[in-house]
Amino acid sequence: MVDHASMGTLRRSRTAELHIDRPGFTAKIEHDLGIAKLQLLGRKQATDLLVQLVGGPAPDVGRQRESDGLTIAWLAPGEWLLLGREPIVASHARALALTGGNDALVVDLTHARTAFLLSGTAVRAVLAAHCPLDLWPDSFPENAAARSLLGDAGMFISRLTDGRDGRPTFRIILDQTMAPYAARMLGGDSYRAGADT
């Protein structure tokens, strides 16, 4: 099953902008990130069906994996987040909805979410002020993924591959309406919301 009303028709505001660049911490909006939620229902083992649908192994609990430009992140049993460039995610979402039939519920969330990329030597300290997760490498290694809070806002957070300089990098995704709140939590006074395009 697929939400045809939202598949590829609505998009987030293109002019929303945030850029924080201070010693030890940078934050910016990740434009053109496609986001879809996949939930597998029915009698088949969900993980087995995911492997069949995406043609590769499912990520372990609390992890994400990338293959051919598509990142698949575990959210809950039988539920995953699909991330990547908008056309790639839209294409996979349509294919998964068609192939999965009544066992697959796919919702394109691109238009409803804002993604931030956060990095730097102080990124964990900034996040720790507002997020209850232990984000140190032993507890949250590269490619870890979880649902959590940023202040009062629900968010998805994942740790990406460290930068060339070894600085940790995180992606957080929140409801688009919470982007100004998140920017303020991160210490940004330069967030500018734009009109939808």
Side-chain angles (χ1 to χ4, degrees), residues 13-43:
S13 169
R14 293 287 185 216
T15 57
E17 210 45 73
L18 170 77
H19 191 76
I20 301 170
D21 193 358
R22 59 180 190 248
F25 180 67
T26 62
K28 63 182 180 178
I29 291 178
E30 188 174 11
H31 292 290
D32 301 321
L33 181 72
I35 304 165
K37 184 175 170 184
L38 168 65
Q39 186 173 12
L40 295 176
L41 314 164
R43 295 173 297 200

Side-chain angles (χ1 to χ4, degrees), residues 8-187:
T9 58
L10 300 174
R11 292 292 179 249
R12 76 174 64 84
S13 169
R14 293 287 185 216
T15 57
E17 210 45 73
L18 170 77
H19 191 76
I20 301 170
D21 193 358
R22 59 180 190 248
F25 180 67
T26 62
K28 63 182 180 178
I29 291 178
E30 188 174 11
H31 292 290
D32 301 321
L33 181 72
I35 304 165
K37 184 175 170 184
L38 168 65
Q39 186 173 12
L40 295 176
L41 314 164
R43 295 173 297 200
K44 287 189 175 182
Q45 179 70 13
T47 303
D48 294 341
L49 182 56
L50 178 71
V51 169
Q52 176 187 337
L53 292 174
V54 300
D60 292 331
V61 172
R63 305 285 292 165
Q64 65 182 16
R65 72 165 186 82
E66 192 270 331
S67 176
D68 296 328
L70 181 71
T71 298
I72 303 168
W74 185 90
L75 289 179
E79 194 173 321
W80 296 269
L81 204 59
L82 309 176
L83 306 165
R85 288 183 49 245
E86 286 184 37
I88 292 173
V89 170
S91 174
H92 276 85
R94 280 190 294 274
L96 288 167
L98 291 172
T99 307
N102 290 332
D103 290 332
L105 174 61
V106 184
V107 180
D108 187 336
L109 300 173
T110 300
H111 67 285
R113 300 292 184 265
T114 298
F116 295 89
L117 286 177
L118 314 174
S119 64
T121 55
V123 66
R124 288 186 183 93
V126 171
L127 286 167
H130 309 289
C131 175
L133 291 179
D134 178 354
L135 298 173
W136 288 97
D138 289 345
S139 299
F140 208 79
E142 289 183 2
N143 291 311
R147 288 177 171 165
S148 189
L149 293 172
L150 184 72
D152 291 328
M155 73 169 172
F156 167 82
I157 183 169
S158 63
R159 181 164 170 216
L160 306 181
T161 303
D162 289 349
R164 281 181 271 155
D165 54 4
R167 297 184 316 162
T169 301
F170 293 86
R171 171 185 284 143
I172 64 171
I173 300 174
L174 304 100
D175 187 280
Q176 184 172 312
T177 62
M178 298 304 289
Y181 173 82
R184 195 150 181 200
M185 291 292 102
L186 298 171

